Amino acid sequence: MDRLSVRQARQESAIGQQARLQGWVRTRRDSKGGFSFLELNDGTCLANIQVIADAALENYESEIKHLTAGCSVTVEGQVKASGGKGQATEVQAARVVVHGLADPDSYPLQKKRHSMEKLREWAHLRPRTNTFGAVMRVRNQVCRSIHDFFQEDGFLYLNTPIITASDCEGAGEMFRVTTLDPANPPRTDQGEVDYTQDFFDRPSYLTVSGQLEGEVYATALGKVYTFGPTFRAENSNTSRHLAEFWMVEPEAAFFDLEDNMDLAERFLKRIVTDVLANCEEDLDFFQQRIDNEVRDRLGKIVEGGFARTTYTDAIAALESSGESFEFPVSWGADLQAEHERYLAEKLHGRPVIVHDYPASIKPFYMRVNDDGKTVRAMDVLAPGVGEIIGGSQREERLDVLERRMAEQDLNPDDYWWYLDLRRYGTVPHAGFGLGLERMVQFVTGMANIRDVIPFPRTPGNAEF
Amino acid sequence: MDRLSVRQARQESAIGQQARLQGWVRTRRDSKGGFSFLELNDGTCLANIQVIADAALENYESEIKHLTAGCSVTVEGQVKASGGKGQATEVQAARVVVHGLADPDSYPLQKKRHSMEKLREWAHLRPRTNTFGAVMRVRNQVCRSIHDFFQEDGFLYLNTPIITASDCEGAGEMFRVTTLDPANPPRTDQGEVDYTQDFFDRPSYLTVSGQLEGEVYATALGKVYTFGPTFRAENSNTSRHLAEFWMVEPEAAFFDLEDNMDLAERFLKRIVTDVLANCEEDLDFFQQRIDNEVRDRLGKIVEGGFARTTYTDAIAALESSGESFEFPVSWGADLQAEHERYLAEKLHGRPVIVHDYPASIKPFYMRVNDDGKTVRAMDVLAPGVGEIIGGSQREERLDVLERRMAEQDLNPDDYWWYLDLRRYGTVPHAGFGLGLERMVQFVTGMANIRDVIPFPRTPGNAEF
């Protein structure tokens, strides 16, 4: 007898097979004819399979008639054609083994709908719901596409360090990592905390980006990408921020900004194409139950090319738009969410890549243009969500890089190894970053970023 | 003109193509005939491609004749058949653009061999060497195989949390993660550190395993795997330990120990098969330069089945072996490295899975056998390295699990959510863990684990 997943058993091709299915009961309905219908789910797809359990089964009265939502069972029987709506097949059970019950008086996931807030308190049970099962399957597909895309394109997967003693570009508040006794840390003669006695002999932190280390490997092996956890110790309780999130950062030697924009566009199209092809059932669910603009938004990614505009042209377009923005538009200021949305949604009606931003609002490592005022930065803005990718061509000229670091009061000694990459065999190179959870929000329409990661980490939340 | 990688340009099929190649010069050799040979490497393969640069090139005297190891160039020209040894092709340069020099007086990577210790100090430059290029390509292949294997088998990729407030099974020393001022932390009225003012409102740590959270998702969605960084704050300076390493942990509902052993065996075979098929050139390098037993060891993984033995039988075999071991052999004690090597290398001459260990030496979550003395644990021992995978069937019975926790003095309140998985719809399930760096050591023969990860983290080392 073959083990079949619910997904497999729902295919017409399974009809006639003797099969073993294993999963969790979603509902039980008893017919007047003296048998029961069990809706069985095993997480392999959104839909359940209907199991028909006859009164003749030996444990029908003792066990089957007591099954409730969440109980776990093994069902053996034959897959048959079904006349029921929305299902090609069903299973006529020859045997039902009950593994575990789920007392309906205490099991939280009863049929009523629960708020997303409530489900976050039950982070260990919420993957058993339709919504979180669908989110996780789509998240898995996005991750798979990320790896497939880069691997097929010759990029090497790179694990940059999580614990680091360097503070990349001062990109944000960092978490400290330590083994010192917090109540009574060792002190120097001057009374300062003596970090030479900490595990790494110096203050150490959780990484905010693997970019600088990615550049090390790109300038040795050509094309690399990181895909790992990243951290921000910002005390922001919003629907768009996590203290711990996953980020993808490709970095490629001999890429200029044009190559980088082409790569970002191909990359986003690939992810969305794969999700559309492989997650149809889950997308229907998101479209109907979560966000009825999901499919429209995804269509805009895969149909036609992205618009491209310089920051300077974008500012001019915003100034002459006739819109009244809350934040003033002026050359030299960062684009606000409302500006980004106008550009992507109203002006272009499709994703737009804004490039060549003012140097004054961008980090030191971005390549300075000949005008001396702008740098080779790029942001991909998507309709409905705004910035989804940020990247740049990197400054490969040692003298320019050192000047930019001095302007931003960075100590070159802290970056000796990063500067060595320019000192020895420097090459033009470029890369970008994509936040995995933002991408999963984009393709599912889930409103809160805490609901697209298995166990969200935010201020005050580190349980499970 | 096509961009070709060195790997592509070395194929006979490239002969005749006009191509642009970009990379780093390994050596320059000037012929008496008035031209130079450049050996060019771009990281896409171990081998270089030979570039012939004629004296007629406009920058021949001014630039090309000054190229040294590490200089970066773009070469445009025609790929031609080569009569040279070990190369099917070479490139006749029509143009050579020099991007960056590498002053031979200060560039560390000159032709002489450097010790592994020295190269660790130059972690930002060592990927430019043959050895570390080869390690990184093989590491990438192993990672790719891991994802491909599980994805093709229907496992969902799961990101378990890095920061956690729970201490999984007390598996080892943990790093604390904090945003409190180390010099002057807030205190309670009793003078204790007031963790309610820390970022997560409680003491928080870096994860030592994603297993318990993996079980949450396996008991909802069926088959999942984690693949992420894991931490141990152990002060051990050995060639087998890192403070930060990457671990793969599959977890599957309705799997018993037999299923788990089958999965582990198929998994290892798949990784090794892929490495043998796709990393032939790099493997030749490891075989010749690093460890001349590499290919033999890999052959033992893919040829034939793994041996399987209970712990009890293994102890009996060790006792009757006639070998004199340093550590005594007795039922109830853990197997030492010398015992593991005897079993895999001498007794079986192939990988062996030892299973059903004494309960007293294993964690609380492993399923207790009917004998009450052993648990459904398994270790995969490989010739040449010893334990490479450890796993178990998990205890799914609430009462047994609670009893085991009490025996090990664990507080059930700390595991309320883990116990809920048994309280509601519990199912048999199993899983295992594989350390990525141990696996890369196994397939490359690299002696020190610090040399198979881009930026090793060990006591006193967190630079880069």
Side-chain angles (χ1 to χ4, degrees):
Chain A
M1 188 177 306
D2 291 333
R3 266 190 200 180
L4 287 190
S5 67
V6 169
R7 185 193 182 95
Q8 291 167 324
R10 283 180 55 87
Q11 308 297 316
E12 276 185 55
S13 53
I15 291 172
Q17 264 188 275
Q18 292 293 334
R20 174 182 298 136
L21 289 102
Q22 304 185 289
W24 293 267
V25 171
R26 285 289 171 87
T27 60
R28 189 197 82 245
R29 186 162 56 84
D30 301 325
S31 123
K32 287 167 221 140
F35 55 91
S36 297
F37 296 105
L38 306 176
E39 290 287 328
L40 188 70
N41 189 285
D42 68 357
T44 56
C45 59
L46 186 82
N48 308 317
I49 195 158
Q50 178 168 284
V51 175
I52 298 155
D54 252 24
L57 292 169
E58 66 163 336
N59 59 343
Y60 182 74
E61 289 294 337
S62 62
E63 292 191 306
I64 295 172
K65 279 198 73 168
H66 304 283
L67 290 174
T68 53
C71 294
S72 49
V73 294
T74 292
V75 172
E76 292 174 359
Q78 191 173 34
V79 182
K80 306 197 316 182
S82 171
K85 219 179 89 182
Q87 56 189 34
T89 66
E90 61 191 20
V91 175
Q92 179 72 47
R95 186 163 171 248
V96 175
V97 178
V98 177
H99 298 285
L101 299 175
D103 181 356
D105 290 335
S106 63
Y107 185 52
L109 297 183
Q110 298 305 317
K111 221 181 167 184
K112 79 187 261 289
R113 282 185 92 148
H114 302 285
S115 71
M116 295 289 175
E117 290 72 20
K118 196 75 209 161
L119 287 171
R120 263 171 239 148
E121 295 173 20
W122 301 326
H124 63 310
L125 298 176
R126 67 178 188 171
R128 303 178 180 199
T129 64
N130 281 338
T131 302
F132 288 92
V135 166
M136 283 306 300
R137 284 185 296 271
V138 170
R139 183 182 167 108
N140 174 70
Q141 177 60 60
V142 171
C143 293
R144 182 177 188 174
S145 295
I146 288 167
H147 281 294
D148 285 351
F149 174 82
F150 286 119
Q151 291 289 341
E152 291 166 18
D153 220 44
F155 283 71
L156 296 177
Y157 181 42
L158 175 72
N159 299 125
T160 47
I162 308 301
I163 299 171
T164 178
S166 63
D167 170 2
C168 169
E169 56 166 306
E173 299 286 315
M174 299 176 87
F175 290 103
R176 202 160 54 81
V177 174
T178 182
T179 53
L180 294 182
D181 177 1
N184 190 21
R187 306 261 178 185
T188 64
D189 293 346
Q190 288 74 42
E192 310 273 304
V193 172
D194 183 6
Y195 286 109
T196 66
Q197 297 190 47
D198 206 348
F199 191 90
F200 297 107
D201 299 358
R202 73 201 80 189
S204 319
Y205 306 92
L206 292 179
T207 183
V208 295
S209 164
Q211 179 200 317
L212 304 195
E213 290 91 352
E215 290 183 53
V216 165
Y217 273 76
T219 58
L221 301 172
K223 298 193 287 188
V224 300
Y225 69 108
T226 72
F227 185 9
T230 315
F231 305 85
R232 294 280 188 289
E234 278 161 32
N235 202 354
S236 43
N237 267 301
T238 80
S239 62
R240 297 267 289 165
H241 290 90
L242 290 168
E244 172 183 319
F245 57 98
W246 283 66
M247 186 146 69
V248 191
E249 296 181 283
E251 188 76 34
F254 302 105
F255 267 42
D256 61 18
L257 193 70
E258 201 75 22
D259 297 319
N260 209 31
M261 290 194 281
D262 292 346
L263 184 74
E265 182 169 343
R266 281 198 300 124
F267 177 55
L268 287 176
K269 282 177 188 286
R270 168 62 181 270
I271 295 173
V272 171
T273 301
D274 285 351
V275 169
L276 286 169
N278 301 321
C279 302
E280 201 178 357
E281 183 192 27
D282 291 321
L283 278 185
D284 285 342
F285 173 83
F286 291 117
Q287 175 79 19
Q288 286 160 29
R289 306 288 284 271
I290 302 291
D291 175 359
N292 61 18
E293 293 180 2
V294 162
R295 283 193 174 274
D296 184 49
R297 204 158 60 225
L298 298 185
K300 289 212 171 82
I301 295 285
V302 293
E303 297 151 12
F306 293 7
R308 296 186 187 186
T309 174
T310 64
Y311 167 89
T312 300
D313 287 348
I315 291 293
L318 288 164
E319 283 175 336
S320 63
S321 68
E323 300 274 322
S324 63
F325 294 113
E326 188 187 341
F327 292 91
V329 174
S330 80
W331 199 101
D334 228 341
L335 296 180
Q336 300 297 319
E338 56 177 344
H339 308 143
E340 295 181 344
R341 296 189 64 147
Y342 171 79
L343 293 171
E345 290 164 26
K346 290 211 182 164
L347 185 62
H348 294 283
R350 57 189 168 132
V352 53
I353 309 182
V354 181
H355 55 90
D356 293 298
Y357 283 77
S360 55
I361 56 172
K362 291 292 179 183
F364 74 95
Y365 53 71
M366 296 189 176
R367 193 178 199 281
V368 179
N369 280 312
D370 290 345
D371 65 15
K373 285 175 9 193
T374 58
V375 291
R376 304 242 71 190
M378 63 175 226
D379 283 343
V380 182
L381 314 179
V385 294
E387 185 195 326
I388 191 154
I389 278 180
S392 68
Q393 185 173 337
R394 320 306 187 186
E395 184 55 75
E396 87 280 13
R397 296 162 296 185
L398 181 62
D399 55 337
V400 181
L401 188 62
E402 286 176 328
R403 199 181 66 224
R404 289 274 288 160
M405 289 179 66
E407 283 168 13
Q408 301 195 9
D409 284 328
L410 296 168
N411 182 353
D413 293 346
D414 295 340
Y415 295 85
W416 66 273
W417 53 271
Y418 189 70
L419 292 169
D420 266 6
L421 305 181
R422 279 70 180 171
R423 205 167 272 129
Y424 305 118
T426 191
V427 294
H429 61 288
F432 61 78
L434 169 81
L436 172 63
E437 285 75 20
R438 295 267 173 97
M439 189 67 200
V440 178
Q441 279 192 280
F442 180 74
V443 295
T444 60
M446 294 294 286
N448 195 311
I449 199 165
R450 298 167 196 217
D451 299 329
V452 297
I453 189 167
F455 300 94
R457 296 313 188 221
T458 55
N461 294 303
E463 199 165 27
F464 305 104
Chain B
M1 187 174 311
D2 290 332
R3 266 191 199 182
L4 286 190
S5 67
V6 168
R7 185 194 183 94
Q8 290 168 323
R10 283 180 55 86
Q11 308 298 316
E12 277 185 53
S13 54
I15 292 172
Q17 264 186 275
Q18 292 293 334
R20 175 181 298 136
L21 289 102
Q22 304 186 289
W24 293 267
V25 172
R26 284 290 172 86
T27 61
R28 190 197 82 243
R29 187 163 55 83
D30 301 326
S31 125
K32 289 166 220 141
F35 54 92
S36 297
F37 295 105
L38 306 175
E39 290 287 329
L40 188 70
N41 189 286
D42 68 358
T44 56
C45 58
L46 187 82
N48 308 317
I49 195 159
Q50 178 169 284
V51 175
I52 298 156
D54 252 22
L57 292 170
E58 65 162 338
N59 59 344
Y60 183 74
E61 289 294 337
S62 62
E63 292 192 306
I64 295 171
K65 279 198 74 169
H66 304 284
L67 290 173
T68 52
C71 295
S72 49
V73 295
T74 292
V75 172
E76 292 174 359
Q78 191 171 34
V79 182
K80 306 198 316 185
S82 170
K85 221 180 87 181
Q87 55 189 32
T89 66
E90 60 191 22
V91 175
Q92 179 72 47
R95 185 160 171 251
V96 175
V97 179
V98 177
H99 298 286
L101 299 175
D103 181 356
D105 290 336
S106 63
Y107 186 52
L109 297 184
Q110 298 305 317
K111 220 182 169 186
K112 80 186 259 292
R113 283 184 93 149
H114 302 284
S115 71
M116 294 289 175
E117 290 73 21
K118 196 76 211 160
L119 288 171
R120 264 170 238 146
E121 294 173 22
W122 302 325
H124 63 309
L125 298 176
R126 68 179 188 170
R128 303 179 180 199
T129 64
N130 282 337
T131 304
F132 288 92
V135 166
M136 283 306 301
R137 284 185 296 271
V138 170
R139 184 181 166 109
N140 174 70
Q141 177 60 60
V142 171
C143 293
R144 183 176 187 174
S145 295
I146 288 167
H147 281 294
D148 286 351
F149 174 81
F150 286 118
Q151 291 289 341
E152 291 165 17
D153 221 44
F155 283 71
L156 296 177
Y157 182 42
L158 174 72
N159 299 125
T160 46
I162 308 301
I163 300 171
T164 177
S166 63
D167 170 4
C168 169
E169 52 166 309
E173 300 285 314
M174 298 176 86
F175 289 103
R176 202 161 53 82
V177 174
T178 181
T179 53
L180 294 181
D181 177 1
N184 190 20
R187 306 259 179 188
T188 64
D189 292 346
Q190 289 73 43
E192 310 272 305
V193 172
D194 182 4
Y195 286 109
T196 67
Q197 296 190 47
D198 206 347
F199 191 91
F200 296 107
D201 299 358
R202 74 202 81 188
S204 321
Y205 306 92
L206 291 180
T207 183
V208 295
S209 164
Q211 179 200 316
L212 303 194
E213 290 91 352
E215 289 183 54
V216 165
Y217 273 76
T219 57
L221 301 172
K223 298 193 287 188
V224 300
Y225 69 108
T226 72
F227 185 9
T230 314
F231 305 85
R232 294 281 188 288
E234 278 161 31
N235 202 354
S236 45
N237 267 303
T238 81
S239 61
R240 297 267 288 166
H241 290 90
L242 291 167
E244 173 182 318
F245 57 98
W246 283 66
M247 187 144 70
V248 191
E249 295 181 284
E251 188 76 32
F254 302 105
F255 267 42
D256 61 17
L257 193 69
E258 202 73 24
D259 298 319
N260 208 31
M261 291 194 279
D262 293 346
L263 183 74
E265 183 169 341
R266 281 198 298 123
F267 176 54
L268 287 177
K269 283 177 187 289
R270 168 62 181 269
I271 294 173
V272 171
T273 301
D274 285 351
V275 169
L276 287 168
N278 301 323
C279 302
E280 201 178 356
E281 183 192 27
D282 291 321
L283 277 185
D284 284 343
F285 173 83
F286 291 117
Q287 174 79 19
Q288 286 161 29
R289 305 289 282 271
I290 302 292
D291 175 0
N292 61 18
E293 292 179 2
V294 162
R295 283 194 175 273
D296 184 50
R297 204 158 60 225
L298 298 185
K300 289 212 172 81
I301 295 285
V302 293
E303 297 150 12
F306 294 7
R308 297 186 186 185
T309 174
T310 63
Y311 167 90
T312 301
D313 288 347
I315 291 292
L318 289 165
E319 283 174 336
S320 63
S321 67
E323 301 272 323
S324 62
F325 295 114
E326 189 187 342
F327 293 90
V329 174
S330 80
W331 200 100
D334 227 341
L335 296 180
Q336 299 297 319
E338 56 178 343
H339 308 143
E340 295 181 343
R341 296 189 64 148
Y342 170 80
L343 293 171
E345 289 163 27
K346 290 208 182 168
L347 186 62
H348 295 283
R350 58 189 167 132
V352 53
I353 309 183
V354 180
H355 55 91
D356 292 299
Y357 282 78
S360 55
I361 57 172
K362 292 291 180 184
F364 73 97
Y365 53 72
M366 296 189 177
R367 193 178 198 280
V368 179
N369 280 311
D370 290 345
D371 64 14
K373 286 176 8 193
T374 58
V375 291
R376 304 243 72 189
M378 64 175 225
D379 283 343
V380 182
L381 314 178
V385 295
E387 184 196 326
I388 192 154
I389 278 180
S392 68
Q393 185 174 338
R394 320 305 188 186
E395 184 54 75
E396 87 280 15
R397 295 161 297 185
L398 181 62
D399 56 337
V400 180
L401 188 62
E402 286 176 329
R403 198 182 68 225
R404 289 273 290 160
M405 289 177 65
E407 283 168 14
Q408 302 196 7
D409 285 328
L410 296 168
N411 181 355
D413 293 346
D414 295 340
Y415 295 85
W416 66 274
W417 53 272
Y418 189 69
L419 293 169
D420 266 5
L421 306 181
R422 279 72 180 169
R423 205 167 271 128
Y424 305 117
T426 191
V427 294
H429 61 289
F432 61 78
L434 170 82
L436 172 63
E437 285 75 20
R438 295 266 174 98
M439 189 67 200
V440 178
Q441 280 192 279
F442 180 75
V443 295
T444 61
M446 293 294 287
N448 195 312
I449 200 165
R450 299 169 196 216
D451 300 328
V452 296
I453 189 166
F455 300 94
R457 295 315 188 217
T458 55
N461 295 303
E463 199 165 26
F464 304 103

